[in-house]
Amino acid sequence: MGSTAESRSSKRNTSEADRPIGVFDSGIGGLTAVRELRRVLPAEDIIYLGDTARVPYGTKSEETIKRFAEQDVDFLRRFDIKLIVVACNTVSSVAIEHLRAKYRDLPILGVLEPGVEEACRTAESGRIGVIGTIATIESRRHVREIKKRGDFQVLCRPCPLFVPLAEEGLVTGQIPELVAHMYLDELRGKVDSLILGCTHYPLLTETISRVMGPGVKLINVSHEVARKAREYLGEKGFLREKGRGNLRVYLTDIPPHYEELIYRFLGEKPESVEKVELEF
Ligand code: DGL
């Protein structure tokens, strides 16, 4: 979190409270985090940026992910936001330290730490599983963050095919279950908490849960980051408490069937959806 925001008064500050929250992701999947933010913080205005022209980030290099993430933040900063939520697990794993160092005046909350905290809190046997994109898993950031918090055993597995399955709406039945077995059989029986470290995976909860078995707690990082955002805004006195906030969605490309896709992840229709050109 940035130092300027931290030094502000902790009493409720109306003008601060009225500023929007900025959320970004590599695409539309990050709307799973917005869905949770809208549930937990219904009065907040939210500006969402989905970099649909360049999705996926999870198969790209660290250098490229950092560059894209900077451009995403630069876009959101134009809206005088009070907090940035990085809904993308890949950016949260690979580029968050870089963003925090570059934008020191801006509080930046990623999905990784809240998810890790919850996993460490609930992993009774001390064995935690992490699934995510290739870039997320290869960054090893979950492992480092979990080990900082105690003597845990961590098993990681990239599950790249879950992303197109979720986008297709193919989330239950034979095909996703087969794919889930291919990825998850090696974790089954070996972990008691599993971090769903990708925006798309909450849509596959039913299938993942069936394959992992009933004793395994699935951690929805979108839920955890929303809780953390409320905690942070409350502590700073920046919470907006009355009314219904609006949601404006900006996309770098408007894909076919975008309304259906948005609804799949968000569960509602946003006030507006606009195409935006980032300065690449
Ligand atoms: N939003 C990405 C994530 O949470 C998944 C899609 C991508 O690879 O860009 O990691």
Side-chain angles (χ1 to χ4, degrees):
M1 295 276 172
S3 52
T4 309
E6 254 150 43
S7 61
R8 283 174 189 144
S9 158
S10 65
K11 274 170 61 195
R12 187 165 184 280
N13 180 326
T14 314
S15 62
E16 289 289 348
D18 285 341
R19 290 160 67 196
I21 299 174
V23 184
F24 76 92
D25 178 46
S26 55
I28 286 172
L31 289 169
T32 47
V34 174
R35 185 182 200 142
E36 290 296 321
L37 284 164
R38 301 266 289 163
R39 199 174 57 78
V40 171
L41 296 164
E44 301 290 345
D45 287 338
I46 296 178
I47 312 279
Y48 179 84
L49 173 66
D51 193 5
T52 40
R54 302 188 291 189
V55 69
Y57 284 9
T59 52
K60 298 199 167 59
S61 68
E62 182 176 328
E63 188 195 338
T64 299
I65 296 164
K66 284 181 177 162
R67 183 160 52 85
F68 288 178
E70 273 181 32
Q71 291 162 346
D72 298 336
V73 173
D74 285 339
F75 173 78
L76 288 173
R77 270 156 62 90
R78 296 188 209 156
F79 296 91
D80 191 28
I81 49 182
K82 60 183 171 186
L83 170 69
I84 289 241
V85 174
V86 182
C88 183
N89 291 257
T90 301
V91 173
S92 299
S93 303
V94 172
I96 202 135
E97 297 305 339
H98 172 76
L99 294 176
R100 285 181 181 145
K102 182 165 169 126
Y103 304 98
R104 291 183 178 278
D105 60 332
L106 194 63
I108 299 179
L109 190 57
V111 280
L112 188 142
E113 287 132 331
V116 161
E117 275 167 24
E118 181 61 10
C120 294
R121 208 179 57 76
T122 55
E124 277 166 18
S125 70
R127 295 174 307 171
I128 299 172
V130 183
I131 55 175
T133 64
I134 295 169
T136 293
I137 299 304
E138 287 196 349
S139 76
R140 309 278 302 158
R141 181 131 194 271
H142 285 90
V143 180
R144 288 198 300 278
E145 290 294 328
I146 292 170
K147 299 259 184 203
K148 261 195 229 165
R149 288 166 173 81
D151 186 20
F152 294 99
Q153 195 187 332
V154 193
L155 295 176
C156 300
R157 180 69 165 99
C159 305
L161 285 176
F162 282 167
V163 169
L165 285 174
E167 294 205 351
E168 275 295 311
L170 200 57
V171 292
T172 53
Q174 263 185 333
I175 295 170
E177 213 159 303
L178 209 65
V179 174
H181 274 293
M182 176 179 85
Y183 289 142
L184 302 176
D185 280 354
E186 66 188 69
L187 303 184
R188 208 163 77 197
K190 298 194 183 127
V191 299
D192 51 11
S193 259
L194 180 68
I195 299 179
L196 305 183
C198 174
T199 45
H200 291 57
Y201 299 178
L203 271 67
L204 288 137
T205 296
E206 197 183 313
T207 297
I208 295 172
S209 179
R210 202 193 334 264
V211 170
M212 291 302 291
V216 178
K217 181 177 162 60
L218 305 186
I219 314 269
N220 180 345
V221 298
S222 297
H223 177 75
E224 300 311 321
V225 81
R227 202 177 41 75
K228 203 78 186 173
R230 186 179 54 193
E231 199 179 292
Y232 168 77
L233 294 173
E235 273 168 18
K236 297 293 163 198
F238 297 168
L239 266 181
R240 198 186 200 197
E241 278 152 335
K242 290 210 179 81
R244 179 73 180 159
N246 67 40
L247 167 62
R248 280 187 282 159
V249 170
Y250 293 89
L251 301 176
T252 53
D253 181 54
I254 305 283
H257 312 297
Y258 73 95
E259 281 171 321
E260 196 185 317
L261 211 50
I262 287 176
Y263 195 82
R264 192 166 288 151
F265 288 94
L266 182 65
E268 63 172 307
K269 215 169 154 314
E271 265 79 16
S272 65
V273 180
E274 276 176 54
K275 181 162 185 265
V276 62
E277 299 280 341
L278 298 187
E279 282 141 35
F280 304 158

